[in-house]
Amino acid sequence: MTATAEQPASTAIGTEPVLSVRDLVKHFPITSRGVIRRKIGDIHAVCGVSFDLYPRETLGLVGESGCGKSTTGRTVLQLQPATSGSVVFQGQELTDKSSKQMRSVRRDLQIVFQDPYASLNPRMTVNDIVAEPLRIHGLHDKHSGDKMRELFRLVGLNPEHGNRYPHEFSGGQRQRIGIARALALEPKALILDEPVSALDVSIQAGVVNLLEELQDRLGLAYLFIAHDLSVVRHIADRVAVMYLGKIVELADRPELFDRPAHPYTQALMSAIPIPDPVKERERRRIVIRGDVPSPASPPSGCRFRTRCPKFANQLSEGERERCVEEEPALIERGQGHPAACHYAAVEKVL
Amino acid sequence: MSRPLTSATADAHGGTAAPAAATAVGHEAGGDAVLRVTDLTVDFPTDDGVVHAVRGVSYALSPREVLGIVGESGSGKSVTSLAIIGLLPKTARITGSVRFRGEELIGLPDKDMRKVRGEQIAMIFQDPMTSLNPVYPIGWQIAEGIRAHHRDVSRAAARSRAVDLLALVGIPHPKERAANYPHEFSGGMRQRVVIALAMANDPDVIIADEPTTALDVTVQAQILETLQKAQQETSAAIVLITHDLGVVAGVADRVLVMYAGKPVELGSVDDVYYRPRMPYSIGLLGSLPRLDAVDQDRLTPIAGAPPSLINLPPGCPFSPRCPLRQGVCDDEEPALRQTDGQAHYAACHFSHTLESEDGVPEGLFSATSADFSGPIAIMPPTGAVAPTEGPQS
Ligand SMILES: Nc1ncnc2c1ncn2[C@@H]1O[C@H](COP(=O)(O)OP(=O)(O)OP(=O)(O)O)[C@@H](O)[C@H]1O
Ligand SMILES: Nc1ncnc2c1ncn2[C@@H]1O[C@H](COP(=O)(O)OP(=O)(O)OP(=O)(O)O)[C@@H](O)[C@H]1O
Ligand code: SF4
Ligand code: SF4
Ligand SMILES: [Mg+2]
Ligand SMILES: [Mg+2]
């Protein structure tokens, strides 16, 4: 079989993707208050998201709070049913699977959550926490003890500490425990939902290194969800930038950081402070105005138009009309990679 | 660029150790410091023991300067600031001195402290709702903030000043929006309102504790811009507390690095970022993934975790995580002392071995992915004293 044609920005053309997501949509109903709860609208959390994830690669999914990153991750795993669209994992369509059927899929596709404090059961020893997936899948046997020790070593924790409780570990250590648990069933792909966002930087670095090392050793594919573009630049092979439920730009890492083509990507990059006083003083900053509109009533046409500096400062009246009326598709317009802007143009920001 | 680090020896340390107290008090700013903090300590008695949250903080804030305070979670950044403005719970035991334009604030009666807080030192918190009242319109709140300290200002004048302030912090249609309640604004807009409130009485000092941490980066950029505008308008000095070394690099003149309740490095942003002289600062800068790095190798974490503030072992609090540690480090806590620059201070027995050439010493920390330091509550990395909450075994 051949690689999907509509995914030009890929490091792994020629291999089959492990995960293919097409036109994924997830709406949450908004109901009226009161005794009779009527549906009065929809939150358009994810609106037609498509991407491929290849073996051994890291695809970064970035964007600001509420843009639909976690919902994308959870819907891919069918932790929430998709409103529409398709999710193909290792050749199987997931959106029509029952929860029982999904259980066996989850052996190969696991998720790690952001909060290392909330996601571990405080009443279980960390050994039991890490072994739980084995037990659920009926794989727990007399060799599990060895397996546990191996997993602990793999995530850089001392195996001697397996009979302790989560509260005895630091945030970074708890995140390692969550990763060990996700690895217990030897998955092919991991969805990492902000796995280091809650950690202090000095500790975050060790977990990032661990994820990179595990990928090299185990050949894992990562969907790495984050709001911090600096971490994504460090860890990802390809990057998808989301805004208000849609992917607005998708490119290989060097391409995205050197040649961002969407006004939102450019603004996002330029807003991120760099820990270098001279660079920071000399930087030109694109400050975008206003806040993200409500996903209950996204703007017509291009969803970024209410904050787009290009729309506000550069386009003619006639050009703007197109932004208001026609939704820009995520296609290549001569910049070498797809961006969802009618007037996409590369601008160096860093 | 990189230079090998000659491993420091106890000999090299020689007799430089000075009595810890005799140092680092109120650097710079000479006599004209607007705020001078000297040997500030804060203890919290708890069921588990006494938490030594702040263990001797000293700094002097010059008029109009922006001082950034950075450090790991729990290093005492917030408690230091709350002690300065008198907002700690009654259980807190505070020693040391905080002088605002020469006037001692520690021990000031509540009534007088409230006056200082409203008129001279303004505070901006991470959560704007800490400063806003949900049941009053924002314009009214700002106007009341003005009148609480200036009874001679008429209601109408205060209201119109409130609208001016809202315009200044970038609230669109300020006249109409003044009548809105806090819940009718987004998080970023609320933080602008809080900045307007902070500016209301033309303070001399604004302390901002993680003012942008809860906000998206595009909104953070707007708020930092607004904060700088507020400074120009009021000529206030700003203490900006954040865990984001990028924010400090862009906004601050000087930076204070805290670790385990103490300043461990203090200097101009250029000194600290380009010529750090304390292993923790070096480790912190080295552990950052950078947006401007083209092909960054493995990151260099600082292994282990900060110590418990209940049973701090003697010696340098960073020693369990420090690659330069020597015997003396576990015996004697290093004081904050002048290092290579005029106004550059570091708390490390071996900071002189990090001096000379420009640049961040490389190769000090290794690019490990492991963390064998063990459960934090059971075995502190030093193995010294086991603190409280253990397993129910
Ligand atoms: N279960 C739910 N019910 C209703 N709305 C939801 C639900 N989950 C998410 N949403 C909404 O969907 C949108 C996308 O949320 P999501 O959590 O996916 O964003 P995110 O990009 O992960 O943000 P963050 O960076 O804050 O984690 C938001 O507006 C959110 O409020
Ligand atoms: N009221 C209190 N009682 C007991 N301990 C406290 C109290 N307030 C703070 N502490 C402790 O004091 C220490 C310093 O806390 P502080 O809030 O100043 O840290 P911080 O540097 O601001 O951290 P963060 O970056 O997480 O905001 C912490 O160990 C904290 O648990
Ligand atoms: S389509 Fe128009 S509004 Fe949207 S990003 Fe491009 S220029 Fe801006
Ligand atoms: S930071 Fe502390 S432990 Fe490390 S060398 Fe300096 S004094 Fe010693
Ligand atoms: Mg999320
Ligand atoms: Mg704090």
Side-chain angles (χ1 to χ4, degrees):
Chain A
M1 285 243 248
T2 49
T4 340
E6 62 271 37
Q7 291 290 320
S10 130
T11 45
I13 299 286
T15 35
E16 192 72 2
V18 267
L19 177 70
S20 283
V21 175
R22 288 294 173 274
D23 298 321
L24 189 69
V25 174
K26 178 65 189 175
H27 289 174
F28 294 103
I30 309 171
T31 50
S32 61
R33 276 168 219 188
V35 191
I36 304 160
R37 299 184 140 248
R38 280 177 304 115
K39 188 176 152 208
I40 52 173
D42 274 313
I43 291 178
H44 301 245
V46 176
C47 309
V49 160
S50 303
F51 60 84
D52 286 328
L53 179 66
Y54 289 88
R56 295 179 171 270
E57 79 157 345
T58 299
L59 173 64
L61 189 59
V62 297
E64 294 177 288
S65 184
C67 71
K69 305 179 296 292
S70 298
T71 304
T72 301
R74 284 197 300 264
T75 313
V76 162
L77 254 181
Q78 308 300 307
L79 296 173
Q80 297 162 335
T83 305
S84 65
S86 140
V87 177
V88 175
F89 178 69
Q90 295 189 318
Q92 303 176 64
E93 176 61 53
L94 302 188
T95 50
D96 47 21
K97 285 210 183 308
S98 68
S99 45
K100 206 166 145 218
Q101 289 169 317
M102 271 309 293
R103 197 185 277 179
S104 71
V105 173
R106 288 204 193 105
R107 279 184 68 166
D108 288 335
L109 180 61
Q110 288 276 326
I111 187 163
V112 175
F113 294 102
Q114 164 172 359
D115 188 348
Y117 297 89
S119 55
L120 305 177
N121 184 337
R123 272 180 280 280
M124 288 167 76
T125 66
V126 297
N127 255 339
D128 288 341
I129 288 171
V130 175
E132 198 182 24
L134 295 174
R135 209 169 292 119
I136 290 172
H137 288 269
L139 301 168
H140 199 66
D141 59 23
K142 61 181 191 306
H143 304 297
S144 295
D146 293 338
K147 170 116 195 168
M148 285 305 109
R149 276 186 286 282
E150 191 193 314
L151 278 168
F152 270 72
R153 249 176 254 122
L154 193 63
V155 298
L157 287 175
N158 188 338
E160 309 290 306
H161 300 139
N163 46 14
R164 312 280 201 195
Y165 290 83
H167 73 264
E168 300 172 47
F169 291 88
S170 68
Q173 290 170 330
R174 283 183 228 203
Q175 202 52 298
R176 288 164 188 272
I177 294 163
I179 293 167
R181 177 188 154 97
L183 292 177
L185 296 167
E186 300 171 26
K188 301 278 186 306
L190 285 186
I191 296 173
L192 300 157
D193 190 355
E194 311 253 10
V196 296
S197 304
L199 308 175
D200 271 317
V201 283
S202 70
I203 297 186
Q204 160 184 314
V207 177
V208 167
N209 285 351
L210 172 69
L211 290 169
E212 290 181 314
E213 213 170 279
L214 290 172
Q215 183 168 52
D216 291 348
R217 278 160 73 174
L218 308 175
L220 299 165
Y222 294 150
L223 178 61
F224 189 93
I225 296 171
H227 65 269
D228 180 352
L229 259 184
S230 310
V231 179
V232 168
R233 171 157 210 176
H234 182 81
I235 201 170
D237 301 302
R238 288 188 303 138
V239 183
V241 181
M242 275 186 90
Y243 186 80
L244 211 52
K246 289 186 176 287
I247 293 180
V248 297
E249 188 158 9
L250 178 66
D252 285 349
R253 169 182 57 177
E255 176 82 7
L256 187 90
F257 288 94
D258 287 345
R259 303 168 43 79
H262 194 285
Y264 176 64
T265 311
Q266 290 159 359
L268 189 63
M269 270 185 206
S270 116
I272 294 170
I274 297 173
D276 184 321
V278 170
K279 273 193 191 171
E280 203 51 24
R281 265 175 242 143
E282 289 170 355
R283 251 173 118 194
R284 188 182 62 92
R285 187 148 272 153
I286 311 168
V287 176
I288 54 176
R289 303 288 147 199
D291 299 292
V292 184
S294 159
S297 52
S300 68
C302 174
R303 295 186 167 200
F304 186 53
R305 71 175 159 82
T306 54
R307 301 173 78 201
C308 178
K310 183 170 237 160
F311 180 91
N313 309 322
Q314 290 172 29
L315 299 185
S316 69
E317 201 59 40
E319 288 170 319
R320 281 187 199 157
E321 211 162 288
R322 191 160 177 217
C323 306
V324 177
E325 276 160 19
E326 187 189 331
E327 186 179 331
L330 179 64
I331 51 170
E332 216 254 304
R333 291 178 180 80
Q335 286 78 41
H337 65 267
C341 167
H342 296 307
Y343 307 104
V346 168
E347 196 174 321
K348 202 149 172 58
V349 186
L350 291 174
Chain B
M1 286 247 316
S2 78
R3 65 199 174 91
L5 269 167
T6 46
S7 86
T9 62
D11 276 342
H13 165 63
T16 54
T23 48
V25 173
H27 345 278
E28 285 133 84
D32 65 344
V34 55
L35 185 72
R36 187 181 290 277
V37 180
T38 312
D39 278 330
L40 184 70
T41 76
V42 179
D43 285 349
F44 295 104
T46 69
D47 292 346
D48 299 328
V50 177
V51 177
H52 305 285
V54 176
R55 304 183 305 117
V57 170
S58 301
Y59 65 79
L61 190 68
S62 310
R64 290 165 172 269
E65 99 166 308
V66 179
L67 174 71
I69 300 186
V70 298
E72 223 138 317
S73 184
S75 58
K77 306 182 294 296
S78 296
V79 171
T80 299
S81 305
L82 292 173
I84 290 170
I85 55 164
L87 284 181
L88 283 174
K90 287 273 173 284
T91 55
R93 293 198 299 245
I94 308 169
T95 69
S97 155
V98 174
R99 287 179 180 272
F100 173 81
R101 294 204 178 285
E103 185 198 359
E104 180 61 53
L105 301 186
I106 300 290
L108 213 60
D110 278 355
K111 179 166 75 49
D112 300 335
M113 200 60 219
R114 221 170 294 137
K115 208 164 146 57
V116 171
R117 270 203 302 274
E119 289 172 28
Q120 279 127 6
I121 306 181
M123 186 90 197
I124 299 169
F125 295 97
Q126 176 174 336
D127 179 0
M129 290 315 289
T130 312
S131 316
L132 298 175
N133 189 325
V135 302
Y136 294 106
I138 55 149
W140 186 90
Q141 295 188 44
I142 297 170
E144 277 309 294
I146 296 167
R147 284 187 25 93
H149 299 282
H150 302 277
R151 274 291 154 209
D152 50 325
V153 178
S154 74
R155 286 224 155 74
R159 258 200 314 270
S160 112
R161 167 113 173 105
V163 171
D164 291 347
L165 285 167
L166 289 172
L168 205 114
V169 297
I171 302 281
H173 314 293
K175 212 163 170 184
E176 294 74 32
R177 295 294 265 163
N180 288 145
Y181 293 84
H183 74 264
E184 296 174 272
F185 294 86
S186 70
M189 297 279 253
R190 276 182 218 151
Q191 202 58 299
R192 287 169 190 272
V193 174
V194 171
I195 294 175
L197 196 58
M199 292 168 67
N201 289 302
D202 213 354
D204 291 333
V205 176
I206 297 175
I207 301 179
D209 189 353
E210 310 262 6
T212 58
T213 303
L215 305 172
D216 279 326
V217 281
T218 56
V219 179
Q220 165 171 285
Q222 300 167 7
I223 295 297
L224 292 175
E225 206 183 43
T226 308
L227 201 57
Q228 284 173 308
K229 203 161 160 198
Q231 189 202 21
Q232 283 157 16
E233 204 68 23
T234 59
S235 301
I238 296 185
V239 177
L240 178 67
I241 300 169
T242 169
H243 63 275
D244 189 330
L245 287 153
V247 169
V248 169
V251 178
D253 303 306
R254 285 194 303 152
V255 57
L256 177 75
V257 183
M258 289 203 45
Y259 191 79
K262 263 198 168 173
V264 292
E265 187 151 3
L266 172 64
S268 70
V269 282
D270 287 27
D271 272 344
V272 174
Y273 282 67
Y274 300 133
R275 295 169 288 278
R277 294 293 176 252
M278 195 282 172
Y280 172 67
S281 322
I282 295 169
L284 199 59
L285 287 161
S287 63
L288 292 174
R290 296 187 47 152
L291 190 69
D292 56 340
V294 173
D295 260 316
Q296 207 173 6
D297 290 339
R298 289 276 198 265
L299 303 170
T300 49
I302 306 176
S308 153
L309 296 173
I310 293 182
N311 284 305
L312 262 178
C316 174
F318 189 59
S319 97
R321 306 173 76 187
C322 182
L324 280 189
R325 177 188 59 224
Q326 300 280 322
V328 60
C329 302
D330 291 331
D331 299 335
E332 195 184 306
E333 182 157 9
L336 191 65
R337 270 193 294 265
Q338 202 168 55
T339 176
D340 51 2
Q342 275 292 314
H344 186 184
Y345 303 82
C348 170
H349 293 308
F350 297 105
S351 55
H352 57 276
T353 67
L354 302 165
E355 280 173 28
S356 77
E357 273 174 75
D358 259 21
V360 180
E362 287 176 40
L364 195 56
F365 290 84
S366 58
T368 178
S369 67
D371 181 357
F372 287 107
S373 60
I376 40 163
I378 293 306
M379 314 182 353
T382 51
V385 200
T388 48
E389 40 160 338
Q392 293 67 46
S393 60

